[in-house]
Structure formats: structure tokens, C-alpha cells
Amino acid sequence: MIDITKRFPGVVANQGVNFAVQGGEIHGLLGENGAGKTTLMNILCGLYRPDQGQIQLQGRPVQFHRPADAIAAGIGMVHQHFQLVERFTVAENLVLGERKQLWRDNPKRLHQRLRQLASRYGLDLDPAMPVWQLSVGQQQRVEILKALYRQARVLILDEPTAVLTPQETQGLIATLQQLAAQGTSIIFISHKLNEVLAVCDRITVLRDGQTMGTVAAADCDTHRLAEMMVGREVDFTRPERASRDRPEPRLRLEAVSVQGHHQRPALDAISLTVHSGEIVGIAGVDGNGQRELEEVIVGLRPPNQGTIHSQGTLAHIPSDRYTMGLIGAFSVTENLLLRDYRYPPFQRRGMLRPKVMAQQAMTLVNDYLVRTPSVQTPSRQLSGGNAQKVVIARELSRQPQVILAAQPTRGLDVGAIDYVHAQLMAQRDAGAAILLISTELDEILRLCDRIAVLYEGQIVGWANAATANVNHLGLMMAGKHPPETLSIPMAHDR
Amino acid sequence: MTADPSPLAPTSLSPRLKALAPALGVLIALFLSSIVIALSGVNPLEAYQTFMAGAFGGSRQITETLLKATPILIIALGLTIAFQARVWNIGAEGQYHIGALLAGTVALVQPDLPAPIMMLAMVLAGLGGGLLWSLIAGLLQLKRGVNLIIGTLMLNYIGILLVQYVARVPLRDPNGFLPETARFAATAQLPRLFGTRLHIGVLLALLLVPLTYLLLWRTPLGFRLRAVGNGPTVARSVGIWPHRHRLIALLISGSLAGLAGMIEISYTYLRLRPNISDGYGFTGILVALLGQLSPIGTLIAAVLFSALVVGAQALNVTLQVPVAVAGVLQALLVLGVLAGNAIAKR
């Protein structure tokens, strides 16, 4: 891709970007949110057309007018959110959208053919299995196989490890290395620096829509990459915490159970206590009851059994900021005042006071470093990081005693993650009791005092963050019980 | 990465072309209508001239257009509130009829009330009738899970037929030949404005435009209604209860539709009879959507729509263009504007 420029109204998403991938190479594409990674890849997939610049495939210029053109040219993309029909089998998902034959293949022959294809690339899959019975890691393999089935020679993976356990990630990396060895070019989009360094041969960094350079992974380390990405040095160490006063219990769950689909409990007798001045982490792979735990604590869903005690103002940083945290059509001001609009000084004699509301919004936007064209801008126009800052500003500015932070840094870049972590630690030091639900093990290890692992709606083990072993946590997250980590340290033990 | 516009949006249209899209839509609609008009043996240019003159050609025509716009506007403003809360009330027609029925019953049963009290009682009866009719649909949904669109739609037929029944049987004028009630007393007639044919309801409808705006954008209730409409899950997680607010939005729109019914029978018809609506309840839905759920947009759309109806009548009377052809013209114009708007928005 040569000298690619793409403008949207008000933004230049890509400006003179150069990006080259060689055959059989794993190429990392790294950049902050809004740096233009997705735009660049959408151009490569034929979803957008560049305003300027050229795409060359094996030295020949090509033009993609629609996604089908890119697929025909051998470019396959594995999206972050899988594009699979859950009710269909693996095989049916693979042949979906094919037009060439009038009748469908004999399933037996099709399965045979697909099994051969899968084993050629070392992907262990049963073509006859319906997709909904597969684990997330297996579904991702279906997506990869789908691209290979369409004869992709360039495979793009958007944040492929976000939904995987450490063990599944290892499996994915092995698969990718085997594919590359057989000549497939792989573009690996990620914000996890360690992973990019471990997997990729070369890495291209984007910042503010421009190429910051391409480096060989062998000559690079996380600090240098982070610097290229955000333009400054980033601290990765586990921050020391201020000593705290006598902790008191603020949030207590006692044997809370929630009914899920298919008669299976989504939460099964969860008991935990969060004290003032501590962060308790809930680790686990997505879909093991995190959403239900979050909803039951904030009262969006009644527990079928058990009780929840919460003391003082509860702040909620929701796991899905777009459906639970922000109203896209509402302005930044309206979103910031979604809880307080009805109280003076924002309301007087039954009427809202837009000027006072806008002033308060401006104060919060400044305090919480939200980058927005104005406070009247609809929040759907904000980038992910700035949208999250709006949620955080609204929730944390109310001086909460209890904070429920669910996936607070999902989809954010290094700079914004740092910011969110600093905010949470400041609240902890100010005495708030924080429950952090996160699928990012790094985040849990960095912030939390105690860690519980959630698997299929149960807490399968506790660990002390200072002494936790990543492998053991990973095994627990996959539902295996390493017996030595089953001890339950109390908050007062340390 | 979520700040990117939808990847499927085409990027080939220039902004200037987009701004012209609605006008282009109207032109295409006019062109297609010309073919239909020409086929019915009339010169299209002459037809359009007659059309415009019929709707806006003089004070009599403008008055007619405004009178016709009044019930449409009141209904559409109510629906603007409902639709902002994403409450799909399709039952304004039925709510309008029940509002008219209750207000008319008051006028017929208590003909001796003094004028101000008569007006007040009729307004309250109109509002109450619409509220009651929408409440039935709301409760059916909340308590029995009946889809609101289906519930409100079905209640339309019951409302329309109920008016016919009352006009034909219990309240029928024993001295009349037609299946209708006796004429209301003079006290049940809306006062006129400054010696014109315009009545006080026109003023009320215009006043409702800023009031609707204030309700939606300047009061805590309006804030909650819009929050429920635009992000029900978010609203719920900050303590705004969607069910309650959807019901409130439904009842407001129902009451206003009932008020429109009261205004029409106490000016245009002055009695209860079959056919007391020109499909205002359905036109109101279109007008609210054409106005893009903004009170000002709704005002403009209501006047334009009313002009379409009045102009089409002139076309029919003056040039003997069949009513059906005028209907085709209306439909094509609406489609043209909607398609143009959709393109302009991308």
C-alpha cells in the first residue's frame, strides 16, 4: 500500500501511509485508537476507497471497488467480532455466500474436503459441528479457515487475542507461524505490545494517521514500540499503592445466583466482599458470567438467590459503553449529566438550564481530558477512548464509595489505558471500594489486590495479586483447577 | 476505531450533490407525476399551476390550508413526542375518534352549559378520550404483552366504528334523515379569530409547536423520554425506567390526538357522524416522520401536507383530474422527499 490518504469529514484518517507486507511474513500493525489502523485495513479489504494512493499486489496495481474484489484478490479478514451464523455448522459457514453452484455439495464430500484443508494448515476442526457449540478459540479458527478456504494469501487479524485465554493465544500463535511458514502473509493488528513482539517478524506503527516507521521485531522492545506509538515513554511497572486506613466492607455479595439460558445458572453462588481502599479483580474469559455479575450488582437484573449489600454511592463503568454507558444520539453534555440532570443547579422550577449544564460539562471535559470538538457534539462521534472518558467523568465525579469497573479499558489504546488505570488507583487511594471485572489478565495483575477467577458462573479460585502465577490463573480461566491456588486469602491477611 | 463512519456508506457523492438530493427527489416525483397527469389528458404544467393556486393562491386558499393543517399538526406533535421515546403509536386515528366522541357527547348531553364551561368540558373530554384509548393499548402491552403497533392499530377500527354506532343509534337525531346526531349548540362551537374563518384551535396548534420543543428539550421529563428512546439500556442503568416513560409518551400523544378530534367536531362538523376524519391520524404519522421528529420540521411538514390535500382538491374541481391521480402525486412527492433526505443524511 503506497502513499494512502483517506479523509473523512473533519478528519484525515490516513495521510500518506506506506505499508508493505512480504509473502510468508507476520506483520504487526500497531497504533493507538484513531491512529488509522482500521481505516487502512478497511481500504485493503475493499470497504473504503482511498482518496489518494495505490494498492499493489505482487507488484501490480489493483483497485477494490467492493469487498468481493478484495476477497477474489486473496485478501481475507478475521474481524474482532466473528461473522458466523451460530446455528449453522462449520462447513455451512464456510460455503455461505458462495454462488457458483446451484446445488449444495454432498455434505459428506464437503466435510471430507474441509477436513483435509483444515489439517493441511494444522487447524483442528470438525466441519460437522454447529458453531454455537464451539469455544471462542475454535470459532476464531473457523474464521481463519474461512479465509483460507477462499484462498486468502493475505490474512488480516483484528485484535485476535482479545477474547482468548493465554493458552488459546499460544495455540493461535502456533497456527499463525505455521501459516506463515507455508507462504501466507499475515497482518496482525493488536495493541498488546508483548504479543506483537512475540509473534511478528516486522512491525509497522501508525500514529495520527501517519506511518511512524516499520521495524524488525528482533531489534525492538516494548518501551521503544510504546514510544513510537504514543510519542512518549510509558510506564509498565506495577504501581505502588498508598497505605490505607482501616478497611471496611463496602460491597458484599452472599451466595448470589442468576439463572441463565438453557436452564444453566449464569452465576452460581457467588460470594465476595470488597473493602474500602482495595481493588478486587474478577478474571476470566469473556462469557463466563461477567455480564450477569455486572448487571446483578448495579440492579439491572434481580438475583434469583442470594443478597447484595452495597454501601454509599455506586459508580458503574459498564462493560459496553455504547449500549450501557452512553446514549450515542445525546450530546457530551447530556451524557455527562445523565444522572444529575434533575437536581439543582441544572434544573430550576421544573425546567432544565442548558447553560449551567454546558458549564458543568466543560469543567468535566477539562478535568478528565476528554477530547471533543464541543460539549454539544453527539457522543457517537467520539473515539473509543474519549467516549470512555465521558463515562468515567460522569461516574467518578460523583465521589462514589463503591465502583464497579467492567472491562474499563476494552478497545482503548496505551495512553487511554494508562489514564483509566490512574483514575481507578486514585479512587482506591481516596478510599473507594473497587470491583474490577476484566478479561485482560495484565490489567488485573497490575491493579488488583486480590483476584477471583470466574469460570462458567462460579468463582473457581482466588489469588493474591502480588504472588499470583499467570499460568495457574490461565488454567483456572480455562476451567482446570490447579489445587495449590485454591486457598482464599482475606483482605486483612496482608 | 469506532469513530469511523459506517464502512458501508458510499463515499462517492459530493457534499453539494447531497444537499441537493431532497430537491432532486421532488423534481423526480414531479416528473413521474407529469406522466400520470398527461395520461389523464391534462397538461401537467397547467395542473401544477392549478395545484399551487389551490393551496396558496389567496387568503381563502391559505386559510383552507391552515385549517386542514391544524388537526394534522396537533396529532403529529404528539407523535413527535411518542416517536422520540421510540413508542410506535399507530393509533392516533382511533384516539382522535374517541376524543371527538367524548367531546361530542358532552356537547349533546349538556347543551345548556355556558360557553366557557362548555369549551373547557369539551377540551377535557377530548383529551381524556384520546388518553383513555391510548391507555388501553398501553396496558395491553404492559400487562399482556400485546405488541403496541398491533394494539393501537386494532383500536383504530374500534374507535372509528364506535363513532359510527353512536351517531347512528343512541345519539341519532330523531328528526334528521341522515345517520348523524343533531347539530351542536352554538356554545359548543370553537370561537373564531378576529372575524376570519380561522378558529382558536389554529392558534393552539401553533402554540403547541414551541411547547413541544420545551417539553422535549428543556424539561427533565423530556430528557428522560429522549433518553429512553435513544438508549433504553443506558437509561435503565442510570435509573430511568423505560416502561413508565414509554407509557407517559404514549398517553401524551393519545391525549393530543383526542384534542385534535375535539377541535374538528367543534368547528368543521358540529355534530357526530361517520367520516369525521380525512385520515388525519395516519397523515400525522407521516408528517411527524417527514418533520424528522422536530417540532419545527413537523410544523413545516404539516402545512405542506395540508397544501397537498387542498391543492389536490382544486385540481379535481378545476381540471377534473381524478382524485386518484392527485393521490399518486402526493405519494410520489412524499417518497421523493424521503429518498432525498435519506441520501442527504449519508
Side-chain angles (χ1 to χ4, degrees):
Chain A
M1 301 181 81
I2 303 161
D3 200 26
I4 300 286
T5 297
K6 175 75 193 171
R7 295 185 196 87
F8 292 115
V11 241
V12 184
N14 287 154
Q15 192 171 18
V17 171
N18 289 295
F19 181 74
V21 184
Q22 276 147 23
E25 168 186 53
I26 304 184
H27 196 121
L29 184 60
L30 198 64
E32 292 200 285
N33 254 18
K37 293 175 303 203
T38 300
T39 305
L40 190 66
M41 288 305 115
N42 280 339
I43 290 172
L44 188 52
C45 289
L47 281 167
Y48 293 153
R49 268 192 275 173
D51 297 333
Q52 270 165 41
Q54 204 180 44
I55 304 173
Q56 289 185 357
L57 215 61
Q58 296 177 323
R60 278 200 312 273
V62 286
Q63 278 205 338
F64 300 145
H65 297 287
R66 58 187 71 84
D69 295 347
I71 292 171
I75 290 169
M77 178 135 181
V78 176
H79 291 272
Q80 204 174 347
H81 301 284
F82 303 143
Q83 323 269 309
L84 297 172
V85 183
E86 297 222 322
R87 291 264 144 213
F88 281 16
T89 65
V90 172
E92 284 168 335
N93 268 288
L94 288 180
V95 298
L96 192 67
E98 264 185 355
R99 317 178 176 186
K100 54 183 184 222
Q101 77 251 51
L102 204 52
W103 278 280
R104 290 208 290 168
D105 239 0
N106 171 351
K108 230 180 238 167
R109 241 183 327 169
L110 178 68
H111 291 173
Q112 186 56 33
R113 208 149 50 88
L114 292 175
R115 228 172 258 125
Q116 276 171 11
L117 182 74
S119 65
R120 185 170 1 131
Y121 293 105
L123 293 162
D124 167 33
L125 275 174
D126 178 3
M129 282 274 266
V131 163
W132 61 269
Q133 289 183 0
L134 302 180
S135 74
V136 179
Q138 287 171 317
Q139 292 188 15
Q140 191 173 51
R141 265 178 264 157
V142 177
E143 282 281 12
I144 293 173
L145 191 63
K146 188 163 82 179
L148 295 173
Y149 178 75
R150 292 173 182 173
Q151 283 156 10
R153 282 166 298 156
V154 179
L155 185 63
I156 307 168
L157 296 123
D158 191 2
E159 303 274 0
T161 61
V163 289
L164 304 182
T165 61
Q167 282 80 5
E168 284 176 319
T169 302
Q170 288 305 320
L172 171 70
I173 290 172
T175 304
L176 295 183
Q177 277 161 348
Q178 191 181 346
L179 284 177
Q182 291 173 16
T184 309
S185 304
I186 292 163
I187 302 173
F188 188 95
I189 305 175
S190 177
H191 65 272
K192 291 182 192 165
L193 302 170
N194 285 320
E195 238 166 52
V196 173
L197 277 172
V199 181
C200 301
D201 303 313
R202 293 192 304 155
I203 299 158
T204 295
V205 180
L206 287 183
R207 191 206 303 167
D208 295 335
Q210 291 175 311
T211 326
M212 298 315 292
T214 300
V215 293
D219 317 335
C220 213
D221 60 26
T222 48
H223 285 269
R224 177 146 168 245
L225 276 182
E227 234 182 287
M228 283 172 75
M229 211 164 119
V230 296
R232 64 184 169 86
E233 278 210 50
V234 181
D235 181 18
F236 284 100
T237 50
R238 189 181 143 84
E240 268 318 295
R241 45 163 313 144
S243 66
R244 71 185 133 107
D245 311 334
R246 298 161 38 120
E248 50 175 289
R250 286 271 177 76
L251 175 68
R252 192 161 68 231
L253 273 68
E254 279 167 16
V256 170
S257 293
V258 166
Q259 194 67 38
H261 300 295
H262 315 301
Q263 309 297 311
R264 287 215 332 246
L267 288 180
D268 192 358
I270 299 281
S271 294
L272 58 86
T273 307
V274 188
H275 300 80
S276 58
E278 77 167 339
I279 303 182
V280 171
I282 304 288
V285 179
D286 221 353
N288 276 293
Q290 283 95 337
R291 182 70 177 244
E292 288 81 3
L293 181 61
E294 178 187 355
E295 290 181 351
V296 84
I297 291 175
V298 297
L300 282 176
R301 176 198 276 269
N304 295 89
Q305 270 164 42
T307 52
I308 298 159
H309 306 277
S310 172
Q311 237 177 56
T313 313
L314 173 78
H316 176 211
I317 301 172
S319 53
D320 187 338
R321 67 188 76 108
Y322 295 107
T323 63
M324 295 173 81
L326 292 175
I327 298 180
F330 270 28
S331 69
V332 170
T333 302
E334 288 172 316
N335 274 300
L336 282 169
L337 291 163
L338 214 45
R339 286 186 191 273
D340 290 332
Y341 65 96
R342 54 153 99 201
Y343 304 112
F346 309 117
Q347 175 263 120
R348 190 169 59 188
R349 282 186 239 113
M351 298 300 276
L352 299 177
R353 300 166 76 195
K355 278 192 190 137
V356 184
M357 291 172 82
Q359 271 167 14
Q360 168 74 359
M362 244 124 47
T363 311
L364 289 175
V365 161
N366 284 332
D367 289 355
Y368 287 83
L369 311 172
V370 184
R371 282 211 314 235
T372 170
S374 87
V375 292
Q376 305 305 335
T377 307
S379 69
R380 72 158 76 89
Q381 289 178 16
L382 299 182
S383 73
N386 283 304
Q388 187 71 335
K389 283 178 182 174
V390 171
V391 175
I392 287 175
R394 179 180 74 221
E395 297 297 324
L396 300 191
S397 62
R398 309 175 84 235
Q399 283 137 13
Q401 275 86 51
V402 181
I403 299 171
L404 173 64
Q407 325 289 2
T409 58
R410 179 182 277 172
L412 301 190
D413 54 65
V414 176
I417 290 173
D418 255 9
Y419 174 84
V420 172
H421 287 176
Q423 288 290 334
L424 287 177
M425 288 185 291
Q427 290 287 333
R428 175 201 62 195
D429 293 344
I434 302 178
L435 186 67
L436 171 67
I437 302 174
S438 177
T439 49
E440 299 278 345
L441 205 44
D442 291 348
E443 175 168 86
I444 297 258
L445 288 168
R446 184 165 184 232
L447 294 179
C448 298
D449 302 298
R450 291 184 298 140
I451 300 168
V453 178
L454 196 61
Y455 177 74
E456 293 195 339
Q458 290 183 320
I459 291 183
V460 292
W462 285 86
N464 191 318
T467 58
N469 175 318
V470 178
N471 271 329
H472 285 165
L473 286 174
L475 283 173
M476 284 198 283
M477 283 161 68
K480 292 159 185 112
H481 297 236
E484 63 268 39
T485 51
L486 275 175
S487 64
I488 303 179
M490 294 309 295
H492 315 283
D493 289 354
R494 282 168 291 110
Chain B
M1 300 271 118
T2 43
D4 288 348
S6 156
L8 292 174
T11 50
S12 50
L13 282 177
S14 75
R16 198 180 302 167
L17 199 65
K18 282 185 185 177
L20 284 176
L24 201 68
V26 171
L27 281 181
I28 293 172
L30 288 178
F31 173 74
L32 292 175
S33 312
S34 301
I35 299 173
V36 180
I37 293 170
L39 282 177
S40 65
V42 175
N43 177 358
L45 283 179
E46 197 186 343
Y48 292 136
Q49 203 183 356
T50 312
F51 191 95
M52 285 305 288
F56 297 112
S59 69
R60 197 176 60 82
Q61 286 80 0
I62 293 175
T63 300
E64 190 59 33
T65 299
L66 284 178
L67 283 174
K68 201 96 186 168
T70 297
I72 299 175
L73 177 58
I74 294 175
I75 289 170
L77 287 171
L79 293 179
T80 296
I81 294 168
F83 294 169
Q84 279 283 357
R86 301 297 183 273
V87 169
W88 303 116
N89 175 10
I90 311 298
E93 185 77 3
Q95 292 142 19
Y96 169 100
H97 273 83
I98 299 300
L101 178 65
L102 292 202
T105 307
V106 167
L108 292 166
V109 175
Q110 296 288 338
D112 302 326
L113 290 173
I117 295 181
M118 172 68 101
M119 269 301 116
L120 187 67
M122 285 178 74
V123 165
L124 289 179
L127 287 169
L131 181 128
L132 176 77
W133 219 236
S134 58
L135 180 67
I136 295 174
L139 290 181
L140 278 174
Q141 178 173 50
L142 283 178
K143 305 288 179 202
R144 286 287 173 269
V146 177
N147 180 303
L148 186 69
I149 294 179
I150 294 173
T152 51
L153 191 63
M154 291 302 127
L155 283 168
N156 281 338
Y157 303 117
I158 302 178
I160 294 167
L161 292 172
L162 208 54
V163 168
Q164 292 195 11
Y165 168 75
V166 170
R168 282 171 201 272
V169 186
L171 292 180
R172 178 170 180 165
D173 180 10
N175 306 318
F177 295 105
L178 295 168
E180 54 187 33
T181 68
R183 200 180 152 90
F184 297 162
T187 47
Q189 223 182 103
L190 279 181
R192 297 194 179 196
L193 290 176
F194 330 111
T196 61
R197 283 181 58 235
L198 297 176
H199 55 75
I200 200 161
V202 181
L203 205 62
L204 181 67
L206 290 175
L207 197 65
L208 279 172
V209 174
L211 285 179
T212 305
Y213 172 82
L214 286 176
L215 171 72
L216 280 172
W217 279 278
R218 289 285 184 273
T219 66
L221 176 63
F223 187 94
R224 288 195 287 270
L225 293 177
R226 287 185 300 118
V228 165
N230 287 297
T233 318
V234 183
R236 209 153 68 91
S237 69
V238 297
I240 301 170
W241 291 99
H243 283 328
R244 182 184 310 167
H245 287 92
R246 288 197 188 114
L247 186 62
I248 292 172
L250 176 65
L251 296 184
I252 293 175
S253 65
S255 306
L256 286 179
L259 178 67
M262 173 267 163
I263 286 174
E264 278 302 286
I265 55 152
S266 74
Y267 181 83
T268 309
Y269 301 104
L270 290 172
R271 52 163 51 94
L272 286 177
R273 45 165 257 198
N275 304 323
I276 54 167
S277 163
D278 205 357
Y280 296 133
F282 299 111
T283 309
I285 297 172
L286 263 177
V287 165
L289 293 176
L290 272 178
Q292 317 222 333
L293 304 189
S294 104
I296 291 285
T298 301
L299 171 64
I300 296 168
V303 171
L304 288 182
F305 224 94
S306 153
L308 276 179
V309 175
V310 175
Q313 283 167 356
L315 208 54
N316 179 236
V317 172
T318 319
L319 296 178
Q320 279 79 50
V321 174
V323 184
V325 173
V328 170
L329 172 59
Q330 282 177 31
L332 282 172
L333 277 173
V334 171
L335 284 177
V337 171
L338 283 178
N341 274 341
I343 291 171
K345 263 193 188 166
R346 288 212 288 227

